Amino acid sequence: MQDQSIYEKLREYAKSDAYPFHMPGHKRKVDWISDVYDIDITEIDGFDDLHHADGILEEGMARMANAVGAKKSYYIVNGSTCGILAAIYAACPQGATVAVARNTHKSVAHAIMLRGLKPTYIYPQNVDNLCISGQIIPKDVEKAYEQSPEIAAVILTSPTYEGIVSNIRQIADVVHAHGGVLIVDEAHGAHLPYANHGANQEETYLPYSAVREGADIVIQSLHKTLPCLTQSAALHICSDRVSVKKIERALHIFETSSPSYVLMAGMDLCVRYMQGEGKKKLQMLTDRLQLFYERSESWKQLWFLYPKIKSADMISIPIADYTKIVFGAKGYKNAGRKLHEILRDRYHLQPEMSAPDYVILMTMLTDTEEGFLRLEAALSEINDELECGSLVWERTMSAYPSAFVPLELVMLPLEAAEAPVIQVPFFESVGKISAETVYVYPPGCPFLMPGEKISEELLEIVRYYRTSGMELYGMEDETGETLLVIEN
């Protein structure tokens, strides 16, 4: 056991030459708040109360709403998880039916169980040849309503962890035509409202925010893509379809009664910055990304999910957040994990995450030219080594499975989570009903929920993750060898 404090370890990392292509969005380069202990207070006279805001906090949240184009905005200091729980709790009556994109965050699954909701799942398009979830298609939302007209709300994630954006405008039109509420987890898109789209949306490489596109409630993680401290988030009300009082009542339940003034001060400073200099920095980032993607065309051994890549095996994604650099190496087994390790260990470039077949690098308006040049030099060298054969990796011709497979919902998630259970070997569970939520993290999107019947196709996904070295989360058995199922 090492006698090193967490603080000491953090300082050690901060002093290293490791370059962060990962969250949080300030990338340790913003010093707006350096006197943390001096300003860490509670609700004293003159500083307002987040849960009864009528002073400086109310003014700050109004400034945020005006900046992003929402009717009303709320500071969230518990991260987007708190906002998602509050939004679903407020919009969905106990026991209601909800249509849920299968690639939503685990907090959506938790809200479903807490509220006793009946989920009907909408499956995202699969990105060709990759275990990546694509868009939610508007016609699939329409199909969900045809099968379950009583759907109270539709819940989806856009952008996804990989940056894929659904057509929120068209989906909102479908949902509202059926009298429903559209809740969008835009945790990874807090920067989108500040993009200068100009006459041509492609000029900035950025899609529009769900706030602008017709969603009713939008939740954003400011710390993911903007210069904010971790756990800084916001809930935006964008229509009158959900009562403000219900939202505030839900926030009373799920948000701490002792909110951090340090986090709230950081959010206020961030919004002020993004209304001015931040917009220019965001435009500079998108300009720099265009140059990066142009240079990436010469790296023939690597594939990139987003623009400038013309290879026939890659899907064309019409709208996406290109600030997420998603890439891999063609035809190599576990290339994502290998690339992650090389970038981290050899080049001291820390990626956000890696899946077996791809890596995600998060770029933000705080990134530097030096960081981009280091990345481009590293990728160029890796590409050359793969091309000349000095970097020897095992080849693979096997196809990647879909990220999700449709499963039969036999019991409501809440009923299954509270039913008598037995423990069985995971790979002997076909035909049994799960009592647990199972996911890989990040991004934390459950591919198995309580109440669902386990299929052989589901086990193929589990085998893929296990043989690729990825850990399964959400189960009582941390080894992932056994699963709790409903007792017959």
Side-chain angles (χ1 to χ4, degrees):
M1 184 176 179
Q2 61 180 6
D3 188 24
Q4 184 183 35
S5 69
I6 297 173
Y7 179 73
E8 289 170 336
K9 190 171 180 64
L10 288 169
R11 292 304 308 164
E12 181 182 289
Y13 179 67
K15 291 176 181 178
S16 73
D17 68 340
Y19 189 89
F21 280 106
H22 60 79
M23 300 180 282
H26 57 73
K27 295 208 171 185
R28 310 194 309 276
K29 295 179 176 66
V30 175
D31 59 358
W32 294 335
I33 299 177
S34 57
D35 51 348
V36 172
Y37 279 92
D38 289 342
I39 64 170
D40 187 21
I41 63 168
T42 187
E43 294 90 341
I44 57 177
D45 292 343
F47 287 91
D48 211 354
D49 182 333
L50 181 61
H51 291 292
H52 300 281
D54 59 2
I56 193 169
L57 297 181
E58 181 184 42
E59 293 169 5
M61 291 186 288
R63 182 179 298 107
M64 176 186 284
N66 180 64
V68 303
K71 287 182 174 292
K72 193 170 180 64
S73 296
Y74 297 87
Y75 291 152
I76 304 292
V77 296
N78 297 31
S80 281
T81 291
C82 170
I84 289 168
L85 291 171
I88 296 173
Y89 190 92
C92 305
Q94 188 79 17
T97 299
V98 291
V100 184
R102 189 70 214 214
N103 59 329
T104 50
H105 187 255
K106 62 178 181 176
S107 56
V108 174
H110 296 158
I112 288 171
M113 286 189 281
L114 285 170
R115 207 70 165 129
L117 303 176
K118 179 183 178 182
T120 177
Y121 292 105
I122 305 171
Y123 286 81
Q125 298 290 298
N126 203 59
V127 178
D128 289 354
N129 301 323
L130 297 167
C131 188
I132 295 179
S133 295
Q135 299 173 322
I136 296 297
I137 304 300
K139 68 178 182 181
D140 290 338
V141 179
E142 182 67 58
K143 193 178 301 182
Y145 272 105
E146 290 172 2
Q147 296 171 351
S148 304
E150 73 279 11
I151 288 172
V154 173
I155 308 157
L156 57 85
T157 300
S158 179
T160 65
Y161 196 41
E162 292 82 8
I164 295 173
V165 176
S166 295
N167 192 322
I168 300 299
R169 173 62 62 185
Q170 291 185 11
I171 291 172
D173 288 344
V174 172
V175 174
H176 297 156
H178 291 276
V181 173
L182 177 59
I183 300 171
V184 177
D185 173 1
E186 198 173 72
H188 284 274
H191 57 299
L192 298 182
Y194 300 99
N196 178 21
H197 293 95
N200 184 356
Q201 184 171 334
E202 294 179 359
E203 290 176 2
T204 63
Y205 275 59
L206 296 178
Y208 293 118
S209 167
V211 174
R212 178 191 185 279
E213 291 294 89
D216 299 301
I217 305 175
V218 177
I219 302 96
Q220 296 175 337
S221 285
L222 276 66
H223 71 93
K224 283 181 166 61
T225 61
L226 291 178
C228 265
L229 294 168
T230 300
Q231 288 186 209
S232 302
L235 184 151
H236 305 297
I237 298 178
C238 310
S239 76
D240 298 323
R241 290 182 177 84
V242 181
S243 161
V244 168
K245 290 190 178 297
K246 286 185 177 180
I247 289 286
E248 292 179 348
R249 190 180 306 131
L251 287 173
H252 278 291
I253 296 171
F254 295 106
E255 189 162 27
T256 177
S257 59
S258 300
S260 166
Y261 274 83
V262 175
L263 294 183
M264 293 187 290
M267 285 189 269
D268 184 43
L269 289 172
C270 177
V271 170
R272 292 170 184 266
Y273 176 74
M274 292 308 301
Q275 287 180 303
E277 183 67 19
K279 281 190 176 182
K280 299 176 185 177
K281 290 288 187 180
L282 186 57
Q283 182 63 54
M284 290 171 63
L285 170 64
T286 57
D287 291 343
R288 187 58 181 84
L289 281 168
Q290 185 169 2
L291 177 60
F292 170 85
Y293 285 115
E294 287 172 354
R295 290 176 176 174
S296 74
E297 290 185 321
S298 64
W299 305 324
K300 303 301 182 183
Q301 295 300 310
L302 304 176
W303 60 260
F304 290 79
L305 190 58
Y306 295 135
K308 306 301 180 184
I309 296 300
K310 306 295 194 302
S311 56
D313 61 334
M314 296 307 301
I315 194 169
S316 174
I317 297 180
I319 44 178
D321 176 11
Y322 303 118
T323 65
K324 316 305 193 282
I325 299 176
V326 182
F327 73 102
K330 300 172 184 176
Y332 294 101
K333 187 175 182 180
N334 283 342
R337 310 302 291 272
K338 292 182 175 74
L339 288 166
H340 184 125
E341 291 170 3
I342 290 176
L343 289 173
R344 181 194 62 206
D345 298 339
R346 189 200 297 182
Y347 298 102
H348 300 173
L349 302 172
Q350 178 62 55
E352 167 67 22
M353 67 84 72
S354 63
D357 50 318
Y358 64 94
V359 178
I360 299 179
L361 305 177
M362 305 279 281
T363 68
M364 292 99 172
L365 53 91
T366 45
D367 275 303
T368 64
E369 179 66 12
E370 182 256 347
F372 272 107
L373 291 175
R374 283 176 61 181
L375 175 62
E376 289 166 353
L379 294 178
S380 183
E381 285 186 12
I382 293 169
N383 179 80
D384 291 346
E385 290 178 15
L386 286 171
E387 204 159 55
C388 72
S390 62
L391 195 60
V392 181
W393 289 351
E394 181 182 352
R395 288 278 184 176
T396 181
M397 298 301 293
S398 59
Y400 300 112
S402 298
F404 303 95
V405 294
L407 299 171
E408 181 185 356
L409 183 67
V410 180
M411 302 172 64
L412 291 183
L414 177 60
E415 295 172 346
E418 296 182 344
V421 299
I422 58 172
Q423 199 165 33
V424 301
F426 208 137
F427 290 105
E428 297 177 16
S429 62
V430 172
K432 299 188 183 300
I433 302 169
S434 176
E436 297 190 281
T437 302
V438 186
Y439 55 91
V440 290
Y441 189 87
C445 303
F447 56 83
L448 179 63
M449 282 278 290
E452 292 181 324
K453 182 181 287 189
I454 299 158
S455 66
E456 183 58 45
E457 291 77 13
L458 185 281
L459 292 188
E460 284 300 313
I461 294 178
V462 175
R463 289 189 185 95
Y464 167 69
Y465 287 134
R466 295 290 298 277
T467 57
S468 301
M470 299 189 75
E471 294 186 26
L472 303 180
Y473 291 89
M475 298 175 292
E476 183 178 289
D477 180 2
E478 294 182 358
T479 69
E481 296 293 334
T482 63
L483 179 73
L484 294 180
V485 299
I486 304 303
E487 185 176 21
N488 292 331

